[in-house]
Amino acid sequence: MECLKVQDLNVYYGVIQALKSVSFLVEAGTIVTLIGANGAGKTSLLHTISALISAKSGKILLNGKEIQKLSVDEIVRLGMAHVPEGRRVFAELSVRENLELGAYIQKDKKAVQKKLEEIFERFPRLKERINQQAGTLSGGEQQLLAIGRALMSSPSILLLDEPSMGLAPIFVEEIFSLIQQINQDDKTTILLVEQNAHKALSIAHQAYVLENGEIVLSGKAKDLLEDPEVKKAYLGA
Ligand SMILES: Nc1ncnc2c1ncn2[C@@H]1O[C@H](COP(=O)(O)OP(=O)(O)OP(=O)(O)O)[C@@H](O)[C@H]1O
Ligand SMILES: [Mg+2]
């Protein structure tokens, strides 16, 4: 069953076309990765899907429902959460407050508390820092917090924009295994944008390659790992 379907999406910044007739599919329960060089349009694509910017034309379907005209709020309510590039936690707020904000669509205080406990179980490192100001967390801890915040809305699909960026190798490993766990334990569908193509292709089921705003290649992630062109352009081989 398809969870997310993007059809013929065209996005412009003024006269510059950032996405050119982009189409792709994300099957429910899978990890799909979108790889591409700096400036390829990966962030623009995630921003368009989660309604932070609007497309000039094209369709975005979430569980069969067209969402390209909806607001960020409505899309979150339909089960999509987005962990933005560069983490973007609320630096002045505590770990707890950041997480609670992630559940803003949930008005039932008890349900929020229960979710918070679930998150702390998964992220003991955040629990230890529950009252710490988010801006004073390490880069890796901020990334965990950004992911935890997104999970607070109990999404059925999670969009992740370069979660491993700028992290030490040990944290990179942790983030990728966390993404796999979220997918396996909660059956959460994942759309993962990464520059660490090797890692991303290693954990994903399906993959798409974006170049200059266009999807130029797609297939099973494990096949792309072996693809000579992909190896040359993205895997440093
Ligand atoms: N707000 C904006 N106004 C004008 N141009 C923009 C804007 N945001 C992005 N662009 C341009 O759109 C293109 C795609 O940018 P985007 O950030 O989507 O790429 P990316 O694949 O996420 O790159 P990176 O790997 O560096 O994060 C780039 O040429 C960029 O300069
Ligand atoms: Mg980007």
Side-chain angles (χ1 to χ4, degrees):
M1 208 180 66
E2 65 200 36
C3 173
L4 182 71
K5 187 174 185 175
V6 170
Q7 278 179 319
D8 215 3
L9 207 61
N10 289 290
V11 171
Y12 290 77
Y13 295 113
V15 294
I16 308 281
Q17 188 164 9
L19 296 175
K20 299 167 192 156
S21 197
V22 168
S23 298
F24 68 96
L25 256 184
V26 178
E27 292 285 339
T30 66
I31 301 178
V32 171
T33 188
L34 188 71
I35 59 175
N38 289 120
K42 305 180 298 296
T43 297
S44 301
L45 183 50
L46 292 196
H47 280 177
T48 312
I49 294 169
S50 58
L52 295 165
I53 57 178
S54 58
K56 182 162 188 214
S57 60
K59 277 186 188 171
I60 306 168
L61 293 112
L62 179 62
N63 299 317
K65 184 180 163 69
E66 282 191 30
I67 60 164
Q68 71 272 5
K69 297 263 164 40
L70 301 186
S71 67
V72 173
D73 228 56
E74 290 167 318
I75 289 173
V76 172
R77 282 173 207 281
L78 287 174
M80 186 185 288
H82 182 175
V83 181
E85 186 174 9
R87 315 187 245 284
R88 307 284 165 80
V89 296
F90 298 100
E92 306 293 313
L93 300 183
S94 70
V95 165
R96 173 199 285 275
E97 289 164 335
N98 267 275
L99 290 171
E100 285 171 350
L101 279 174
Y104 75 101
I105 56 169
Q106 176 59 265
K107 296 297 171 220
D108 178 352
K109 287 269 175 352
K110 273 215 183 91
V112 174
Q113 195 53 40
K114 186 162 168 284
K115 199 71 210 175
L116 201 59
E117 278 160 24
E118 251 178 70
I119 300 287
F120 282 140
E121 216 166 286
R122 174 165 269 155
F123 303 87
R125 207 193 286 257
L126 292 182
K127 189 173 184 183
E128 290 162 18
R129 293 169 174 78
I130 183 165
N131 294 315
Q132 192 172 325
Q133 253 196 351
T136 66
L137 295 172
S138 75
E141 290 162 357
Q142 289 188 26
Q143 187 59 260
L144 293 180
L145 180 56
I147 295 172
R149 188 179 58 192
L151 293 178
M152 285 294 290
S153 63
S154 307
S156 58
I157 180 167
L158 187 61
L159 275 42
L160 294 155
D161 196 345
E162 302 208 31
S164 80
M165 189 169 51
L167 301 184
I170 180 126
F171 246 116
V172 172
E173 292 296 328
E174 190 172 331
I175 293 287
F176 279 99
S177 74
L178 176 66
I179 294 167
Q180 273 187 303
Q181 272 172 36
I182 293 168
N183 172 248
Q184 284 164 10
D185 300 351
D186 311 347
K187 305 281 171 270
T188 307
T189 308
I190 310 258
L191 177 57
L192 172 66
V193 160
E194 260 298 332
Q195 282 207 32
N196 189 336
H198 192 271
K199 277 266 148 209
L201 291 172
S202 307
I203 67 160
H205 303 102
Q206 204 70 20
Y208 292 87
V209 179
L210 196 66
E211 262 177 36
N212 299 316
E214 276 178 286
I215 304 268
V216 294
L217 200 63
S218 67
K220 285 199 166 68
K222 66 176 192 324
D223 293 340
L224 263 62
L225 259 182
E226 303 299 326
D227 183 287
E229 290 300 314
V230 173
K231 276 187 170 172
K232 197 162 76 162
Y234 299 102
L235 302 173

